[in-house]
Amino acid sequence: MPMDDLDQQLARRDALSVARLLGREAPHAGDPVGFTATRVRIAALLLAVWATDPEIREALRLVFEAAAPDQRALLALGDIDTWDRDGRPARRWWAQAAAGPDPDLAALGAWRAARADVRGGRRGDALPLLEQASLAGIAEASVLLGRLLERDGDHEGAAAAFRRSRTGEGLLRLAEERLRADDLDGAERELAGFRAAPHRPGAADQRAWEQAIRGEIAFGRGDLDRARGHFEAAGRAPGTWDRRIGLRLAQIAVADADPVFAHHWISRLAEGDDAEAEQARLLRDLHRDLVDEGARRLEQGCDEEEDDW
């Protein structure tokens, strides 16, 4: 057996032994004798390390049930119940923790309960919990709150939440809010303190996102060369930026009287049913000769390659 596997087995055996010992010493639920805060913290630390182990989780459940309504115990019970097939009881524990006296533990409870509500489509229940967690300084809660308020059309509330987050995503979304208000200078000011978070697989590429916004600012000011450079660097911007960037590059190609790129971008966009497609079709109608010339050049280029072959 590899040494790492043996070390892991020994560590698990010791952790399970401690969990069972704590569980055996726990009073029955409802017993007036409470656990000390130290024992609850030891159990919470064990759970944090061994949360994926069902035996250790169930041994520790006795500890936390006996310690309830201690907020740390309520949080842990919610964390344990998320592993059940029906994870809905977890939200109940977290909501109880959110109502407790320790503000930091209450914020954690509110954040976890709010995420459960968002996943379950209960946005109305999530919003006050997100507000509680956001005001307590949980940056992720501020960002999520801002996203939900933005979708609801509460742009003022969204901006306040994004600013409170003090995160890269928060600043980028604030800059987008300024762009929607045609405030180019304001958008640029929002980016002054921007620092991109390290890129994680599956997450938005914040550097690409920043480039897309800077491209929009330059485009709005008529600096088309700078805008093109930013847009070309924004290849992995999130959401619908790819369509918006394609439209801007089409408009720049038309302004530069570049038939090949005008045809390239307009033909890519025109078949859709969104605002960008509508704008692309309008560009095609207004600049039909330029777009047709681009198509002819591309066709001639393909014919020449075939002749060479």
Side-chain angles (χ1 to χ4, degrees):
M1 177 183 298
M3 185 60 69
D4 288 347
D5 290 348
L6 180 58
D7 287 343
Q8 181 75 2
Q9 285 192 16
L10 291 172
R12 180 189 179 278
R13 186 187 68 186
D14 291 344
L16 183 57
S17 176
V18 173
R20 285 172 172 167
L21 178 63
L22 290 171
R24 281 196 300 270
E25 293 182 354
H28 295 297
D31 191 308
V33 178
F35 258 8
T36 65
T38 300
R39 290 188 180 186
V40 174
R41 285 189 172 90
I42 291 171
L45 288 172
L46 276 176
L47 181 64
V49 176
W50 297 97
T52 60
D53 189 297
E55 278 193 278
I56 295 177
R57 285 201 309 269
E58 289 310 306
L60 291 173
R61 181 190 292 274
L62 299 174
V63 180
F64 298 125
E65 286 177 344
D70 176 273
Q71 280 172 280
R72 204 178 297 273
L74 294 171
L75 289 170
L77 286 168
D79 294 345
I80 288 172
D81 279 345
T82 56
W83 291 89
D84 292 344
R85 181 170 299 177
D86 179 6
R88 283 177 295 180
R91 193 265 181 200
R92 175 171 55 86
W93 295 119
W94 290 328
Q96 288 183 52
D102 185 300
D104 293 332
L105 295 176
L108 282 176
W111 171 227
R112 293 176 188 176
R115 283 187 299 179
D117 284 333
V118 170
R119 286 193 295 269
R122 299 180 295 274
R123 289 170 55 138
D125 293 333
L127 287 174
L129 292 165
L130 285 172
E131 183 78 20
Q132 177 183 350
S134 173
L135 291 172
I138 296 180
E140 296 94 331
S142 295
V143 170
L144 181 53
L145 175 63
R147 290 177 192 161
L148 295 180
L149 293 175
E150 189 176 61
R151 290 174 199 165
D152 292 342
D154 183 357
H155 297 291
E156 184 176 341
F162 290 139
R163 193 170 304 285
R164 198 156 56 231
S165 77
R166 300 181 181 179
T167 62
E169 180 177 345
L171 291 177
L172 291 167
R173 290 187 179 275
L174 282 168
E176 286 191 334
E177 287 283 343
R178 297 284 184 246
L179 285 179
R180 278 189 283 273
D182 293 324
D183 181 3
L184 301 179
D185 292 341
E188 191 168 52
R189 283 195 299 273
E190 298 294 357
L191 295 179
F194 172 74
R195 296 291 182 274
H199 182 58
R200 303 189 313 274
D205 186 326
Q206 292 187 1
R207 293 188 186 282
W209 192 351
E210 177 199 12
Q211 290 296 315
I213 294 172
R214 291 194 183 280
E216 194 72 11
I217 293 169
F219 184 88
R221 290 173 174 165
D223 190 344
L224 301 187
D225 287 339
R226 185 182 295 274
R228 184 192 298 107
H230 285 307
F231 287 137
E232 289 174 349
R236 294 190 298 176
T240 59
W241 269 109
D242 58 334
R243 301 277 295 170
R244 294 163 66 185
I245 289 170
L247 177 62
R248 293 306 189 215
L249 289 171
Q251 292 169 322
I252 291 170
V254 167
D256 289 344
D258 184 331
V260 172
F261 276 101
H263 174 269
H264 169 77
W265 289 111
I266 290 172
S267 62
R268 285 185 60 179
L269 294 168
E271 299 306 316
D273 58 1
D274 54 11
E276 287 76 18
E278 184 178 348
Q279 288 294 312
R281 289 191 290 269
L282 180 60
L283 278 177
R284 184 180 60 193
D285 293 341
L286 291 174
H287 304 279
R288 176 74 66 179
D289 291 344
L290 182 71
V291 175
D292 289 347
E293 174 64 20
R296 282 193 295 272
R297 290 191 186 185
L298 286 172
E299 186 176 350
Q300 288 171 358
C302 291
D303 290 343
E304 289 172 2
E305 287 180 7
E306 289 177 3
D307 292 341
D308 292 343
W309 177 255

